[in-house]
Amino acid sequence: MKLGFSAAEEEFRAECADWLQGQMAGEFKDIKGITTLTAKAERRKEWEQQLAAHKWSCIGWPEKWGGRNATLAQQVIFAEEYARAGVPGRVNHIGIELAGPTILAFGTEEQKQRFLPGIAAGQTIFCQGFSEPGAGSDLASVRTKGRLENGEWVVNGQKIWTSLAHISDWIFVVTRTEEGSKGPKGLSFLMMDVKQPGIEIRGIKQINGDAEFNETFFTDARCPEDSMIGAVGQGWQIAMGLLAFERGVSTLGQQMAFRNELDEIIAAAKANGQAKNPLIRQRIAKAEIGLRLMRYGALRMLSNTDHSKIDGAALTYKIQWATWRRGLGELAMDVLGQAGELAHGSEYEWDVLPNLFLFSRSDTIYGGTNQIQRNLIAERGLGMPREPRGDL
Amino acid sequence: MEFVFTEEQAMIAETVKGFFAEHATSERTRKAMAADGIDRDLWSAFCAELGLAGIGIAEELGGAGLGMVELAIVAEAAGSQVAALPLLGQAMAAQAIAAGGSAAQQGEWLSKLVSGEAIAVCAGAEALNVADGKLSGSASFVTHGGVADLFVLGSGDSAWLVRADAPGVSVTAHTTMDQTRPMATVTLAGAAGEALADGAAALAAARQAGWVIAAAEGLGVAQASLERTVAYAKERVQFGRPIGSFQAYKHRLADMMIEIEQARSAVYWAACAVDEQSDEATIALHSAKSFAADTAFMCAGNMIQLHGGIGFTWEHDAHLYFKRARALQSMLGAGDWHREQVATMILGEAA
């Protein structure tokens, strides 16, 4: 068991920090510190390309595909320095962290050549077409249909909560390709060009006034037959494999963003005197402890190479961070008091902490609600009987 | 960076887990509870046969080497069986003597503590008066104080060795809620005491080890509470189905696991940070002690609730875990105190 980093790794850290901080002080100064997912999307696409030009876009990927074959420790270090430097979140998070690794793991050589260079170069922005109006927590009840017609997949149906679809180039879609099938059987995983007449995107305004989510409508949308990852009917396995990548190294970058949020709360509490309130002190200490434990939980999960046993740290990670962050939003408002309820101008736009308070209500919902997480933990982690399926 | 057990650590974990599961049985623990709170056969096997009391003490001082991570592994396993052992006090006392004792003090005591020949305990003294090497004052809530041969008593930056059989030492054993770790009051009336060479270093080392052990025990208590409740959830049938199939039930089990995983990160982060002399060691120790003790209590409390009536009986072991967990919360600084230390580190002093 070892927590420290080697001298060579610390050197790598300095190199990362140096480059990232240089960028945020120079050419990309205008995007430093952005915390929403939608602000300055065009500039952030340029940032993706800047990362790629300096080979920082997907360092964990093989060199052949634009990565650096970076070790786990190096990926941890880069993710931490990325957020520490105040660099905004990746607009191509889904391409780099989910689509790319899925193609690497399950795609054909031809598919790798078709998609990976564009993702690595920051040219192809991806979004995820999983949820539907009738398939939220019960993801396997997807109804969007795909049928093969003259060498093309033709897709009809609707996806929802499609983050960043409006600025994306490609979408991966879980479709029902076997007529009359039910549940996880008969699903397939397709890669589709978003910019085609058969796909229509409508923004969904959220409680914080932002519109990062979308409804995505498919009306005879098309893609070539060889755009399927895996075989016909393997969509569920591919989708589950993809979700496992969600617990990768990027979680550490996310934690550094949380660090910045907690630091803002600490600064606000010091400024307005709440830092002397013993109850607030206890809650800030709890938040601090929770954040530290999140880091060490992630390091345990990432260090674990024995995949034969249930990894408790990995299984509990989502609900842990989501619940922690929702609590952080509540703590922020308790520290700010009524001042937190006032926008600066006439627009319904929010500073980091009030926005955190509002946005974090989604953390315990998307990617599997807390209730679904508890089912998964109890069933997979503790061997409790599965929830019976109804037949409505 | 590799935050998983090494092969050797995994082997130690397996060995001690097996040892406590086989020997620290409910029956034997209850016998110790009815007597003075020590299963002496278990303790002598622990010290003499397995050499576990030497963990965390350098080999040149007669210990087994290794560090806080290995000590945490042992304490976690002991906690998971609520073993009736003076492990905590012994380790704190040995750490104090190893870190702050003179060569002569180390030579006189460490091999006896490691072999189990003597039982020692470390505690804070109140209103300590020193005159001509004679100590007056008292120490309260001294765990396993009733059976100790040696007290390591701290006061300010000084630490003293006091033999239990020295004239002027009187020990009053108390009936204690957690009977696996009974407490005593030690009163000194002009008792002979020997100052440790470096009291501050001794007490710092004792505190660190104490927090690591308490946190690790808490982790063991929590994990065992969950495992026993999971087993019950599978076998107990009501309304024609195993009770573990009800969401109201299984979500509470999930909540236990979520806390336990964090407690596990906390315990081994703290132990590792101490071993590596990391800057984070202090915040890690405060985090681990407060978080793991609270987790132990949450899980042991849930064990009673989720067992229903049987969980409230003396016959069931749930109360052993519940009482140990409660004791862990109060000892060596309550959770609020540890969190206030964290708050001070990040917010500065309170007004």
Side-chain angles (χ1 to χ4, degrees), chain B residues 265-337:
Chain B
S265 301
V267 166
Y268 290 101
W269 168 39
C272 209
V274 172
D275 283 341
E276 293 180 12
Q277 296 176 311
S278 151
D279 300 343
E280 286 192 329
T282 305
I283 197 168
L285 287 163
H286 291 305
S287 300
K289 163 62 177 67
S290 57
F291 197 95
D294 286 351
T295 301
F297 184 75
M298 179 265 205
C299 291
N302 270 330
M303 171 159 59
I304 293 180
Q305 179 66 26
L306 295 175
H307 276 78
I310 190 74
F312 184 67
T313 63
W314 191 266
E315 177 195 357
H316 197 278
D317 283 345
H319 69 109
L320 273 57
Y321 290 90
F322 183 71
K323 291 165 183 174
R324 174 68 73 87
R326 181 58 248 184
L328 286 170
Q329 284 187 301
S330 294
M331 73 188 328
L332 300 173
D336 287 352
W337 180 82

Side-chain angles (χ1 to χ4, degrees), chain B residues 57-255:
Chain B
I57 302 294
E59 288 178 66
E60 57 270 27
L61 296 178
L66 306 173
M68 288 297 131
V69 170
E70 290 80 10
L71 192 56
I73 290 170
V74 171
E76 181 190 344
S80 70
Q81 290 291 116
V82 275
L85 294 179
L87 163 64
L88 176 81
Q90 189 91 343
M92 287 176 69
Q95 287 289 330
I97 295 168
S102 64
Q105 289 164 336
Q106 290 168 345
E108 182 178 3
W109 287 107
L110 286 176
S111 64
K112 283 185 197 158
L113 298 189
V114 166
S115 67
E117 195 185 318
I119 293 175
V121 60
C122 185
E126 295 133 34
L128 195 70
N129 237 310
V130 187
D132 302 329
K134 303 280 184 192
L135 309 180
S136 298
S138 64
S140 308
F141 314 115
V142 183
T143 55
H144 280 122
V147 292
D149 304 298
L150 176 71
F151 300 105
V152 178
L153 299 178
S155 175
D157 274 343
S158 304
W160 308 81
L161 298 176
V162 177
R163 290 167 194 264
D165 59 7
V169 176
S170 58
V171 178
T172 310
H174 302 291
T175 298
T176 305
M177 192 181 279
D178 173 10
Q179 294 172 291
T180 63
R181 194 180 269 155
M183 296 192 274
T185 301
V186 179
T187 309
L188 309 176
E194 190 186 325
L196 283 175
D198 184 345
L203 295 176
R207 260 194 300 271
Q208 283 189 343
W211 289 334
V212 166
I213 293 170
E217 270 188 19
L219 172 61
V221 165
Q223 181 73 50
S225 299
L226 175 59
E227 284 170 10
R228 286 169 186 234
T229 310
V230 160
Y232 184 69
K234 289 176 181 170
E235 81 189 26
R236 170 76 173 167
V237 172
Q238 289 286 270
F239 304 100
R241 37 196 279 215
I243 55 175
S245 68
F246 292 102
Q247 280 191 332
Y249 197 105
K250 71 186 190 187
H251 282 192
R252 276 179 89 147
L253 296 177
D255 286 338

Side-chain angles (χ1 to χ4, degrees), chain A residues 3 281 296 300 374-375, chain B residues 251 255 261 276 280 340:
Chain A
L3 287 177
R281 291 172 72 81
Y296 290 100
R300 275 173 58 214
R374 289 190 180 94
N375 279 354
Chain B
H251 282 192
D255 286 338
E261 288 301 328
E276 293 180 12
E280 286 192 329
E340 176 53 35

